[in-house]
Amino acid sequence: MILGVVYSLATPPLEASDEFKHYPYVQYVQTHHELPVLDLETCLATSDECPWLQDGGQPPLYYIVMAAATSWIDTSDLPTLRRMNWHAFIGDPSQVCNKNLVIHLPEREAFPWRGSVLAIHLIRLLTLGFGAGTVVLTCLLARDLFPGRSDVALGAAALTAFTPMFLFVNSAVNNDALAAFLGCLDLLLMVRLVRDGLEGPLPLRRYGMVGLVTGLFLLAKLSGLAALIFLAFLLSWVALRRRSPRPLLVGFPIVVGIAAAMSGWWFLRNWRLYGDPTALNVFVAIQGVRPGVPTVRDWWDEFRTFRWTYWGLFGAVDVMAPRWFYTLCDLFTLVAFLSLLRRRALRTSHLALRAIPFLWFAILFISVLRWTWIYFSFQGRLVFPGIAGISTLLVAGVLAWVPPRFRPRASVAIGLTFFVIAAAIPFAVIRPAYVLPEPLTLADVPAEARVEPVDVGGGIRVVGWAFTPQAVRPGEAVELVVYWEAVAPDGGDYIGFARLLGRRHELAGDVNRRPACGMVPTDLWRPGQVWRDPYR
């Protein structure tokens, strides 16, 4: 909880994962007391009238809860707070600055918070409660899968709690946090359903509880449909092992019936409005599709993004942790996976139960692959509905290589390592990406960078640039710095551009964005200010 608050304070409003779309959905429900309707023509034409974009078609539970929690706040200032930086380097962590999705005014976002800023911080705090619940579920699941192994339970709970991306998502306005909590709760209940179902008949209320949670899951994220499919498979297996059709013919209809009673109204609404119970037809139409079939190289490159966005890739998928962190996480995963190949690890009476979180992860992973086939969305945070099982299996796999008497210490070491990294990231990685540049004066421009002023219109001129002559190969970066002076700015919001020309003056690369690192638009410049502007 403490680390989550730190992550929340380090991330400016609307800069967390898709928060610029999720919060307008909440705010619309709060102010209109109804769900938004996705109008394809409006959403494709202007984001001002459709600020939630495709996410307005997401299941509504999270947004209804948060709208109720913030109903007492006047959030009419959202349009002025949500001034978008449409040239942000979304999905490109290799670029310098210009990470911000929104133009920020410190005086409007400073404490004491008010209006939409207050609502966003309150929702972030409430969302963090779902994350804390997921940590508890991880501990409970680990105890069920590895009875008597407190080292696994402690290590798994710590790994979930201190995974930087998990902290980032759960300290944001984002329905993925509720989906992760309900997905992990569903997983825990399914494990217990299989465990107890193999021993004898289960009371009907046990199926009813799973149906209740699955219904809530469906109203939080469409991943709930995958949970229903997986549950059908598990109950079929239990029925086969017990040689009794009761789990499948009695238990599964109870689960489906309760889940449908809770969530069916939303699917019927979508069918009536969009002709698709899931609303994916308009979701995809607004989001867009890939221009072609992904190649093997595409899959490999995006699998790297999948790993990074599971462990920690922040902002608009453009703020990276240090590279060594991803290498460390890859090695940690590899060591855990290799333990599954050891024969001794497979000799256990709990093998069937331990396969359940692995299969649940596999189903979530395949669903992400399917979605990535449609659009560029291979993001690891989308499998967080299974993070309780993932953390448990990873820690158990790593500890399998450690002699039993050293396992408690190894578990603590795992937790402390990830804690230290997670605690440092807000200060070393996230916050620096959003520090506003300070204006300079002409005297601050280095002598070697000064040039005869060049008027570029709008009352702005170039007074210097820094560039090192160099030989470069395709794929290598070229960096330069431009110094702009606001002489008599006319109040226009201008875009700066840099173009790199190669042999025969062919275009080799270009950058288009607002000057001053994309963070201070030219309509906010004052006469006499000089802005240092790096480009890559």
Side-chain angles (χ1 to χ4, degrees), residues 467-480:
F467 173 72
T468 303
Q470 57 195 284
V472 293
R473 301 175 184 272
E476 294 180 351
V478 172
E479 299 192 12
L480 70 150

Side-chain angles (χ1 to χ4, degrees), residues 235 239 244-254:
L235 291 180
S244 168
R246 177 181 168 88
L248 188 60
L249 299 184
V250 177
F252 189 64
I254 292 175

Side-chain angles (χ1 to χ4, degrees), residues 10 37 39 43 127 136 152 165 202 205 215 248 284 294 301 313 328 359 369 396 434:
V37 175
D39 180 76
C43 290
T127 302
V136 174
V152 175
M165 193 66 184
L202 291 172
R205 66 175 181 275
L248 188 60
V284 171
D301 289 343
L313 188 55
L328 173 67
L359 293 173
L369 283 178
Y434 301 105

Side-chain angles (χ1 to χ4, degrees), residues 346-404:
L346 299 177
R347 296 183 197 141
T348 170
S349 59
H350 293 84
L351 177 61
L353 291 182
R354 294 172 189 175
I356 293 176
F358 179 80
L359 293 173
W360 177 228
F361 163 75
I363 290 173
L364 292 172
F365 184 76
I366 291 171
S367 68
V368 175
L369 283 178
R370 176 70 184 94
W371 191 242
T372 305
W373 189 275
I374 299 172
Y375 191 69
F376 305 96
S377 54
F378 205 2
Q379 294 200 38
R381 64 183 174 88
L382 297 179
V383 300
F384 279 174
I387 192 172
I390 297 169
S391 295
T392 298
L393 294 180
L394 286 175
V395 169
V398 171
L399 293 180
W401 296 97
V402 180

Side-chain angles (χ1 to χ4, degrees), residues 215-243:
L216 292 173
F217 192 10
L218 285 167
L219 285 175
K221 199 84 171 179
L222 283 178
S223 307
L225 292 172
L228 276 178
I229 296 171
F230 187 40
L231 184 64
F233 165 76
L234 291 177
L235 291 180
S236 298
W237 183 77
V238 171
L240 185 64
R241 286 288 302 271
R242 285 187 50 202
R243 299 182 181 179

Side-chain angles (χ1 to χ4, degrees), residues 25 44 117-118 228 237 245 266 284 304 319 354 406 439 482 524:
Y25 188 165
L44 291 177
V117 175
L118 173 61
L228 276 178
W237 183 77
W266 183 72
V284 171
R304 177 185 61 186
V319 179
R354 294 172 189 175
F406 294 116
V482 177
L524 298 179

